[in-house]
Structure formats: structure tokens, C-alpha cells
Amino acid sequence: MTSGGELALRQEYVIGDEIGRGRFGTVRRCYAVATGEAFAVKSTLKAPLREADPLDLALAEQESKVHLLASASPGVSPHVVALHAAFEDADAVHLVIDICAGGDLFSLVSARGRLPEAEAADLMAQLAAALASCHRRGVAHRDVKPDNVLFDARGVLKLGDFGSAEWFAGGQPMTGLVGTPYYVAPEVVAGREYNEKVDVWSAGVVLYMMLSGTVPFPGATAAEIFECVLRGNLRFPPRTFASVSPEAKDLMRRMLCRDVSRRFSADQVLRHPWIVSRGGPSPMG
């Protein structure tokens, strides 16, 4: 992490136009002074976080370390947004990351509705590869959702936004209610200790959304959604899922399994017949 904040950032990068905005910061296009290469810079202001929630501030201040651990070479998955530089001062944290000019999965599903199984399987294979890579490095993302599933200019999927990520040293359990209501795992909602398989649950919700255009655990408020998540009654309404294969439903059941010991790991998702065959016909195994 480089000290000096925005001044140091501007010595190394030319800052361009804003390409995204969140509650506590912005994402802007930037260019390396030395090479002209294009990146994105995510700038998070500390003052609003300090006022809103000390946990959010702590996560923002550790984001660069956890993101670097998740994306550092060698052997990192090409489906993880890489962190190239980090700058921090008393006011803000600035992270220079891969630019993902192809939009995000939420926009894709919003525009097109349900995706064909072959396309959904290919995207899930890329997402599971990203998660497996993170988990091998001891990093849990903890906020897997379509908004954080990005695409580069060539259409390659990249898992981004490690603002809620945590390092689980030596398999230590994690705690804390983090994530986004529709996608958060039941053990997180229940306030129990949890492990990296919370990411697989969230990815299962993403898969359900890709194949149906809806979420499996709906609600009008966060409290209603959490109640639905805790019940965990996974259903496949016939009108929506009539054309979805048994193999795809089997994978969703294994990812959206309330029993964490029986829930698939990211590596097991990659080995599932539906993923291996990329959504094509395949004998169940």
C-alpha cells in the first residue's frame, strides 16, 4: 500500500471520467503515466464509512491486502479482477484495478431475461473458477452477486469488488453479517460462524437468477428476504423452470444446500456434470 493518497495516485496515473458510483465512493477510468495502459481506480471515502459503520471502514482499510492476496500472481485465476496498485491517506483508499468495459451480469440478465443453459453454465464455470482460486488462497469474497460479476472488453468474466472479503487463516471460521440480502447464506443471516462455502450459496442464487430471471428467496424488505433465506425452501416453479434440465436443478440444489457439510465447494461445482458439459446433455454422475 502506497502512502500519499490521491497525490501519489496522480503522479502515476492520469485520472479520467467516472464509470461507476457506490454509496461511499466512485470508480473512474485511469491511465498509467509510464505506459498509457488503461485501468479503473476505485476510490472509497473514509468519513462516510466512519459515520455509518466501523465494520465497513475496517473492511475498506483491509480491502487492498485481501484483494492482493486473492489476485496476486502466480497461479491466480484469470476470472478474478486484478489489483495493480493501492494508495491510502487519512481521507480515502484508492485501488487501481482491471478495467471491465463489458458491463456486469446484473445488466446482462436485466436486458435479456433468462439465459440459455449453455451460456449460464459457461458463466458459472468462470465464476466457480474465480471462487476456487480465491478459496485456495484463503480468501472468502462474501458478496457474490450479479453486480460484482463483471466482464472485460472481450467478454471474459471477472469477479470484482473485494470490499466485503475476508481472509480465513488456517480455516478459521468467519463471523459478521455482510453481503447482500437476496444472495446471503442462511448461516450468515442466523449469526453463526461460517466458512468460505457462503460464496457457493451466493453463486447458487446467481445461477438460479441466470436460468429464471428471478431470485429463489424473495421479499419486499431485507427482513422478509432474510426470513425466506432462513427457511431455505428451494422451489422450481414449473412455469419458470419447465425447460430447465434436471442436471441444472441438481447443481442448484447442491449449491443452495442449508447443510454446509453437504453443500458443494467451488471445486465440486467445477466437476459437476452440468458444468463439465457446459449445459449440454450429460449423464448424471
Side-chain angles (χ1 to χ4, degrees):
M1 173 82 75
T2 304
S3 61
E6 185 146 358
L7 180 61
L9 169 69
R10 290 181 180 277
Q11 288 175 341
E12 295 187 34
Y13 296 89
V14 176
I15 309 302
D17 55 314
E18 183 179 306
I19 54 177
R21 176 174 287 271
R23 276 198 307 154
F24 302 114
T26 59
V27 179
R28 294 168 289 178
R29 198 181 306 272
C30 69
Y31 304 88
V33 171
T35 64
E37 188 175 357
F39 297 97
V41 57
K42 176 186 176 183
S43 299
T44 304
L45 298 174
K46 291 185 178 181
L49 287 170
R50 196 175 288 115
E51 294 168 9
D53 188 342
L55 174 61
D56 287 340
L57 177 60
L59 288 171
E61 290 179 331
Q62 77 168 20
E63 180 178 358
S64 62
K65 301 178 185 69
V66 179
H67 193 160
L68 183 62
L69 183 62
S71 70
S73 296
V76 69
S77 169
H79 302 297
V80 175
V81 168
L83 174 66
H84 298 278
F87 305 86
E88 182 178 7
D89 56 27
D91 299 320
V93 177
H94 308 279
L95 305 181
V96 178
I97 56 179
D98 288 341
I99 191 163
C100 293
D104 60 48
L105 182 60
F106 184 83
S107 301
L108 178 69
V109 175
S110 296
R112 291 180 47 199
R114 288 180 280 184
L115 302 182
E117 283 197 37
E119 185 176 359
D122 182 59
L123 293 174
M124 183 50 56
Q126 295 179 67
L127 178 55
L131 292 175
S133 177
C134 290
H135 295 168
R136 281 193 295 271
R137 291 158 180 260
V139 173
H141 186 279
R142 300 202 301 177
D143 196 18
V144 176
K145 59 182 178 180
D147 319 56
N148 291 335
V149 176
L150 311 173
F151 300 100
D152 68 13
R154 296 176 295 127
V156 176
L157 182 148
K158 303 265 188 178
L159 177 63
D161 194 345
F162 284 75
S164 297
E166 183 65 277
W167 181 52
F168 52 97
Q172 284 289 101
M174 293 167 279
T175 58
L177 180 57
V178 296
T180 301
Y182 287 125
Y183 304 93
V184 71
E187 60 268 29
V188 177
V189 177
R192 301 197 302 268
E193 292 182 336
Y194 53 84
N195 63 22
E196 72 278 7
K197 284 187 178 180
V198 296
D199 288 342
V200 176
W201 175 282
S202 301
V205 178
V206 171
L207 178 55
Y208 189 104
M209 184 184 174
M210 285 196 288
L211 291 173
S212 69
T214 62
V215 291
F217 309 110
T221 65
E224 288 181 11
I225 297 165
F226 286 156
E227 188 178 328
C228 197
V229 168
L230 285 171
R231 284 199 302 269
N233 293 328
L234 181 61
R235 295 188 177 95
F236 300 110
R239 284 184 58 188
T240 307
F241 283 91
S243 62
V244 174
S245 69
E247 291 86 353
K249 293 173 186 173
D250 179 77
L251 177 57
M252 284 184 279
R253 288 189 186 97
R254 294 173 187 271
M255 297 174 76
L256 294 168
C257 177
R258 292 177 64 194
D259 183 344
V260 179
S261 67
R262 292 174 51 236
R263 187 183 306 160
F264 264 15
S265 66
D267 278 320
Q268 286 176 305
V269 172
L270 287 169
R271 296 195 298 269
H272 189 273
W274 187 75
I275 294 294
V276 173
S277 67
R278 290 300 189 268
S282 173
M284 293 298 296

